[in-house]
Amino acid sequence: MLEGAPGTGKTALLDELARLCDHGGARVIRARGSELDLDLPWGIVGQLFEGVEVPDEARPALDMSATTADYAVLQGLYRLVVGMAADAPLVVIVDDAHWCDAPSWRWLAYLALRMVRHPISLVLAICSSGRCTGAACGEVITQPSCRKLHLGDLDLAGVTRLVHEVSGRLPSPEFSVACLRATGGNPLLVNRLLSALAERGATPNMVLPDQVARLGANVRASVVITRLRRQGPTVALVAQCLAVLGNDVQPAVLAELSGLGQPEVDDAVRALGHIGMLDDGVVADPEISASVLDDLTPAQRSATRLRAARLLRRHGADHARVAEQLLETSPGIDAWACEVLDRAARAAVARGEYEFAASLLWRALREPQTDPAFLPRTLRLLGTAELLGGLPGATAHLREAVEHATDSRTRAETAISLAFALDAEGAARELTDLLCDVEAGLGPGEEQLRQRLQAQLVMHSMSWPEPAARVTAYRHGVTEGHALAAFTLFDALSGRLDAKAAALALEPMLAEQQEPLSERVLPYFMSAITMTLCDRFDSAIMLLDRMIAQEQHLHERALRGVAYVMRANVYRRAGDLAASRADLDTADEYVREDERWSTMRMLGLSMRVDVLLEDGRLDEADLLLHDDFHDRDRRCWAWATVLVSRGRVAQCHGDHRTALNCFLAAGRHVAAWPYNNPALLPWRSGVALASAAVGDYDQARRYADEELALARDWGAPRTVALALRVAGRVRADQSGRPMLEAAVEVLRDSPVRLELARALTELGTHLRRHGDNASARTHLRDALDIAQKCGATSLSAKAYAELVASGARPRRMRQTGPAALTPTEHQVAQMAAAGRSNREIAGTLLVTQRAVEGMLTAAYRKLGISGRLQLPQVLKGR
């Protein structure tokens, strides 16, 4: 018995068997079943003995006058085959035996029980998905002498061999893999795919994998449709209903849509599995469904889809499934259709399926409506979906929604969405006028809406100068409500608040335990920025973690990217470069490829450059800054961060004149904004260092002193220490020492570890150059240790070089942490972390247990831990 799915080569194998038997002198009789034979008694037997003289008792079977398989008929047929085998071995072959009629099955079972005494072989082929459940079939299959051979699909090697044999060319590995994916390794489909390629005049290695996939889907659909057209009208009807309903269909819905009884539907579904349309009850390929529906006229398809929508809705299907059917119907349905489309679209936006949502809303707009609120509401949702999905038409639809808004709340909420679209297009002036005009139209009882509009204006002012100027013009005190976070940030950036006052103003928000629902995303973002500038890193991380943990409220992919970029900035400022790098990698998936969001894309780029420079990977940082930038990019505030990054890279190359020009250009660029807080972008420090490097010490001190004064007004430790460090560095004489010492003292008890390492390195370098090597070594050792803990390779190398120059002789560059371990110490620590005992470690490494104990003691000291239980966590963070 051969068993296999359609197309696995059962018939081809039987053909080859018949040829070999005939060539070897055996006699072969063959029959092939079909669906028509199921209800035709003795149909298979009639095929086997066509043209053969039969005994009288067996004649009723051949002329089909016998209605039952009684003993006389069965014995007569048996005597016939025994007589045929007397002269030569006899091979009885039945292909597609699962379609065999019941009397023929009974005779095959009768033969199988008795033929062992004669030179007779019985070879049956059945489809693995075919119907073969009768008692007689069971008797044949369970015979001890029955040997079963399962024909499966080809693996990669089998597909490669088949392609080679058929095409005469050895296929490339890429083509073989693509062919296997497109056909599932089914030999029939592989052959049809190769034939389709040959018809197009192409050889296997001339086509791309995606072309193979498309052609494979077409071939599969063509084979299934050919088989389907051989079936009866009932099977075709169920196939059409399945193509309409898709997968995961309730049997009751399928039966009701087809108008058939459940037994008829079940039989049809089994037949569809046999011909390859269904795979485990699921339509095997969308192309098959499309081909099945091509047999219906457009009017028939629309009517069937509408009936399916009504049935699914009545049976409690979710709105998305009902809406999928409505998309393919003609307009003019009852009012329930718009409600379903609207709810499905809102759910699709929440899931991030923006194209699907937009298609649903386009369809809803085609329905006639009498509700005046329907048009602006639907246009707003359509524009929002297009905006979030990066689809065309967002701005136009949101403008239209603002124009048709029937009340101030709808107009304000739509204006906020439109502001994002205008921001993405760089239309800053229109954005500013829009928000201010809508705010002016609000009544006295709509304070919350007013605050939301003001907060939006502040947020967009961080990218464009026009809204920044408007905020400055009408800024007034806001001590509570939605705009508190926005105006606190604005005042912090423009110097109206110091770090302590800004942090204090946001304490109520930090104390809130609410989840960051969609309406609170903006205050959380702005509060996180302010807390970062204040060096309140724990608070900033807490806010950002809340948002990242609730990503379902950040429907826009770019907003998720913003959260990761902002958290990467916090980690970078705190000195955790590994965590910063990881968040930037995640943010790249959301922001870097989306050119609409210039500010976050360039901020992420600048932070990436900073991390690469700290890693000592100058060439990679330089390459990043050669990205193409648009005119829109060069108009937003974040362009200054790119200019500063270019200046830093030029400094690392030793091109201080170019660096100076970049830093000065950054200063000229940000002059259009009222933001003078050096915590945001310390471009003056860059000018000071570059000026000193080219010999202009007067300009260097002037810019350094200006930044130091602004930093002291702000008061955050990192900002003050950075300004002190630069001011001390540009003073080559002893007058710079107190500033460098002050920078170190400011940061001693702060969480700003990387900036502390820089200050210690500068102080140690200054002391060494002025002959105080003993003090220099103390500061440089601390700097080296902190820099290596932060993962700052470049700074570590500088501190190490200065430490050596001061007369110290450090044995290894790394003095603490996992990287300080020798290879053997690290190997021993890893084995101990995996649970190995000292004795097992000693036996593996062929050393004494005392030696293992000594290496573990050294590892504990370098890792700063007390025992082996802490090893797994410490080594994992290596």
Side-chain angles (χ1 to χ4, degrees):
M1 177 164 292
L2 304 179
E3 182 178 7
T8 50
K10 299 185 297 297
T11 300
L13 190 57
L14 293 179
D15 289 343
E16 180 65 10
L17 173 65
R19 187 187 68 80
L20 291 172
C21 290
D22 186 66
H23 184 72
R27 184 173 183 178
V28 179
I29 58 176
R30 296 185 65 173
R32 182 172 186 177
S34 70
E35 189 177 10
L36 298 177
D37 291 314
L38 273 177
D39 301 321
L40 185 64
W42 305 103
I44 294 298
V45 168
Q47 290 186 49
L48 288 172
F49 299 108
E50 186 175 356
V52 177
E53 185 66 32
V54 298
D56 292 340
E57 61 268 30
R59 190 166 300 281
L62 298 184
D63 60 19
M64 300 180 187
S65 60
T67 57
T68 60
D70 55 28
Y71 174 78
V73 176
L74 297 176
Q75 181 64 18
L77 291 171
Y78 172 68
R79 286 175 50 208
L80 175 60
V81 297
V82 169
M84 295 172 68
D87 299 329
L90 179 66
V91 180
V92 181
I93 298 176
V94 181
D95 196 2
D96 287 341
H98 49 279
W99 294 120
C100 185
D101 59 276
S104 294
W105 260 124
R106 187 74 194 93
W107 178 76
L108 290 173
Y110 190 89
L111 174 64
L113 287 169
R114 294 164 175 78
M115 69 182 192
V116 292
R117 300 190 297 271
H118 303 281
I120 301 173
S121 295
L122 176 61
V123 183
L124 306 176
I126 64 172
C127 182
S128 54
S129 60
R131 177 177 177 173
C132 193
T133 57
C137 176
E139 284 186 30
V140 175
I141 294 174
T142 57
Q143 282 294 313
S145 60
C146 179
R147 288 180 292 175
K148 299 174 185 175
L149 177 63
H150 179 76
L151 301 182
D153 292 324
L154 301 175
D155 58 10
L156 182 60
V159 169
T160 302
R161 286 196 302 271
L162 181 56
V163 173
H164 189 192
E165 292 173 4
V166 174
S167 68
R169 297 172 180 268
L170 186 64
S172 66
E174 293 79 10
F175 178 84
S176 296
V177 170
C179 186
L180 177 62
R181 289 175 178 170
T183 63
N186 185 280
L188 174 64
L189 296 180
V190 173
N191 276 293
R192 294 287 181 89
L193 176 61
L194 295 174
S195 298
L197 286 174
E199 290 174 3
R200 289 163 172 77
T203 60
N205 295 334
M206 290 173 57
V207 291
L208 299 174
D210 59 336
Q211 295 173 315
V212 174
R214 289 194 297 270
L215 192 56
N218 292 336
V219 166
R220 181 190 291 269
S222 175
V223 169
V224 170
I225 293 301
T226 299
R227 293 169 178 165
L228 180 61
R229 286 171 180 161
R230 296 174 187 158
Q231 309 298 314
T234 298
V235 177
L237 175 60
V238 172
Q240 291 166 359
C241 292
L242 280 171
V244 166
L245 291 171
N247 297 322
D248 192 22
V249 181
Q250 297 179 31
V253 175
L254 179 59
E256 196 169 347
L257 182 62
S258 64
L260 301 172
Q262 196 61 53
E264 293 176 287
V265 171
D266 292 341
D267 288 342
V269 168
R270 280 193 290 269
L272 293 174
H274 167 64
I275 67 174
M277 178 176 174
L278 301 181
D279 185 6
D280 291 331
V282 175
V283 177
D285 194 286
E287 189 69 30
I288 296 175
S289 294
S291 298
V292 168
L293 293 178
D294 282 343
D295 286 342
L296 298 176
T297 66
Q300 289 173 327
R301 283 198 296 270
S302 178
T304 306
R305 294 279 190 184
L306 181 55
R307 285 196 299 116
R310 287 176 171 148
L311 281 173
L312 288 169
R313 181 168 177 259
R314 191 166 69 245
H315 283 266
D318 60 53
H319 295 299
R321 293 205 64 190
V322 180
E324 285 175 351
Q325 302 298 332
L326 293 176
L327 282 175
E328 305 296 330
T329 61
S330 302
I333 309 173
D334 296 338
W336 64 266
C338 278
E339 180 185 354
V340 168
L341 291 166
D342 180 77
R343 291 187 179 182
R346 292 180 186 279
V349 170
R351 294 192 304 269
E353 299 173 2
Y354 305 120
E355 288 193 47
F356 179 51
S359 64
L360 294 175
L361 293 165
W362 269 109
R363 175 64 183 80
L365 287 170
R366 296 172 63 194
E367 288 294 321
Q369 281 294 325
T370 57
D371 181 5
F374 169 79
L375 181 60
R377 183 179 68 241
T378 305
L379 285 171
R380 178 194 169 199
L381 187 57
L382 173 59
T384 302
E386 291 168 336
L387 173 65
L388 299 181
L391 306 174
T395 307
H397 289 130
L398 289 169
R399 281 197 188 105
E400 190 177 355
V402 171
E403 293 172 3
H404 288 87
T406 56
D407 58 84
S408 57
R409 171 171 291 278
T410 302
R411 189 164 184 260
E413 291 177 345
T414 308
I416 290 172
S417 298
L418 177 55
F420 278 104
L422 295 172
D423 189 309
E425 294 179 357
R429 187 174 301 281
E430 182 182 352
L431 178 159
T432 305
D433 293 342
L434 169 73
L435 292 176
C436 292
D437 290 348
V438 172
E439 184 199 1
L442 295 176
E446 297 176 303
E447 187 60 28
Q448 187 176 9
L449 280 176
R450 177 173 287 103
Q451 291 177 10
R452 288 183 62 188
L453 290 166
Q454 292 170 352
Q456 288 290 330
L457 194 61
V458 172
M459 186 197 71
H460 294 296
S461 75
M462 297 185 67
S463 296
W464 311 105
E466 292 88 349
R470 190 68 67 92
V471 173
T472 304
Y474 75 72
R475 170 74 177 98
H476 53 82
V478 178
T479 57
E480 59 183 1
H482 192 94
L484 172 62
F487 283 115
T488 300
L489 174 60
F490 183 83
D491 289 344
L493 295 177
S494 54
R496 291 185 171 91
L497 288 176
D498 60 22
K500 184 176 181 180
L504 185 63
L506 295 176
E507 286 293 343
M509 179 167 292
L510 296 176
E512 292 179 359
Q513 296 299 316
Q514 299 179 17
E515 296 293 343
L517 302 175
S518 56
E519 65 269 16
R520 300 197 61 80
V521 167
L522 185 57
Y524 272 61
F525 272 135
M526 293 189 168
S527 298
I529 295 173
T530 305
M531 288 301 181
T532 302
L533 299 178
C534 295
D535 295 347
R536 297 280 297 274
F537 300 141
D538 289 344
S539 298
I541 291 293
M542 178 192 69
L543 290 168
L544 293 168
D545 283 349
R546 286 184 189 176
M547 288 186 286
I548 290 173
Q550 299 290 328
E551 280 192 351
Q552 66 267 29
H553 299 304
L554 304 180
H555 303 323
E556 165 57 58
R557 283 177 58 83
L559 286 181
R560 300 177 191 177
V562 168
Y564 283 106
V565 168
M566 291 173 62
R567 196 171 68 175
N569 185 37
V570 180
Y571 286 135
R572 180 182 65 90
R573 287 171 175 258
D576 191 346
L577 296 180
S580 179
R581 190 182 302 112
D583 272 358
L584 287 172
D585 289 341
T586 304
D588 272 353
E589 303 173 13
Y590 297 115
V591 175
R592 183 161 164 64
E593 299 303 324
D594 193 338
E595 295 185 353
R596 296 176 301 155
W597 311 109
S598 301
T599 297
M600 281 302 140
R601 188 166 58 89
M602 288 190 287
L603 285 176
L605 180 91
S606 300
M607 279 184 265
R608 175 78 69 182
V609 169
D610 284 350
V611 172
L612 289 172
L613 292 180
E614 297 294 353
D615 287 344
R617 295 152 66 184
L618 180 57
D619 290 341
E620 292 181 50
D622 200 2
L623 188 63
L624 274 182
L625 293 171
H626 284 86
D627 277 5
D628 292 331
F629 295 97
H630 302 289
D631 290 339
R632 182 180 70 250
D633 298 332
R634 291 179 170 85
R635 289 194 296 112
C636 75
W637 180 90
W639 175 246
T641 67
V642 176
L643 293 173
V644 168
S645 293
R646 286 178 172 175
R648 291 197 63 200
V649 170
Q651 279 181 323
C652 293
H653 281 300
D655 187 356
H656 299 291
R657 182 65 63 182
T658 298
L660 177 59
N661 291 334
C662 289
F663 291 128
L664 289 171
R668 289 192 297 270
H669 181 77
V670 299
W673 281 262
Y675 305 146
N676 57 8
N677 189 338
L680 187 61
L681 187 69
W683 62 271
R684 296 175 186 83
S685 291
V687 173
L689 292 174
S691 298
V694 299
D696 191 347
Y697 291 100
D698 289 339
Q699 177 169 281
R701 285 190 292 270
R702 185 170 70 253
Y703 274 95
D705 292 345
E706 181 183 348
E707 181 141 308
L708 180 57
L710 292 169
R712 282 173 167 157
D713 288 342
W714 173 238
R718 180 180 183 274
T719 309
V720 173
L722 189 153
L724 283 168
R725 174 173 62 81
V726 172
R729 183 175 171 182
V730 300
R731 287 165 170 83
D733 55 16
Q734 287 284 2
S735 63
R737 177 171 178 172
M739 293 182 172
L740 293 172
E741 291 174 336
V744 171
E745 289 306 313
V746 167
L747 295 174
R748 279 291 185 191
D749 298 323
S750 79
V752 189
R753 309 311 294 164
L754 184 57
E755 185 57 38
L756 174 59
R758 288 197 186 97
L760 286 166
T761 302
E762 293 292 350
L763 178 57
T765 302
H766 181 91
L767 294 173
R768 180 190 64 77
R769 289 174 179 171
H770 288 84
D772 190 355
N773 287 335
S775 299
R777 284 193 290 271
T778 300
H779 295 305
L780 290 169
R781 283 193 180 95
D782 290 344
L784 177 59
D785 185 56
I786 296 172
Q788 289 182 316
K789 286 180 178 177
C790 293
T793 305
S794 181
L795 182 59
S796 299
K798 181 179 179 180
Y800 183 82
E802 289 292 337
L803 187 57
V804 172
S806 71
R809 292 294 179 265
R811 196 179 62 152
R812 290 176 55 79
M813 182 173 164
R814 177 68 176 177
Q815 296 184 338
T816 61
L821 303 179
T822 66
T824 305
E825 288 170 349
H826 186 259
Q827 186 177 14
V828 169
Q830 280 195 318
M831 294 172 74
R836 306 281 291 276
S837 68
N838 287 1
R839 183 176 181 179
E840 291 173 328
I841 297 172
T844 301
L845 300 181
L846 301 178
V847 296
T848 65
Q849 292 189 52
R850 185 182 295 273
V852 171
E853 291 170 2
M855 284 186 279
L856 284 174
T857 300
Y860 298 157
R861 184 183 67 254
K862 293 177 180 180
L863 295 172
I865 60 177
S866 59
R868 68 200 303 144
L869 293 179
Q870 297 165 278
L871 279 172
Q873 182 177 1
V874 174
L875 293 177
K876 185 179 180 181
R878 185 183 183 197

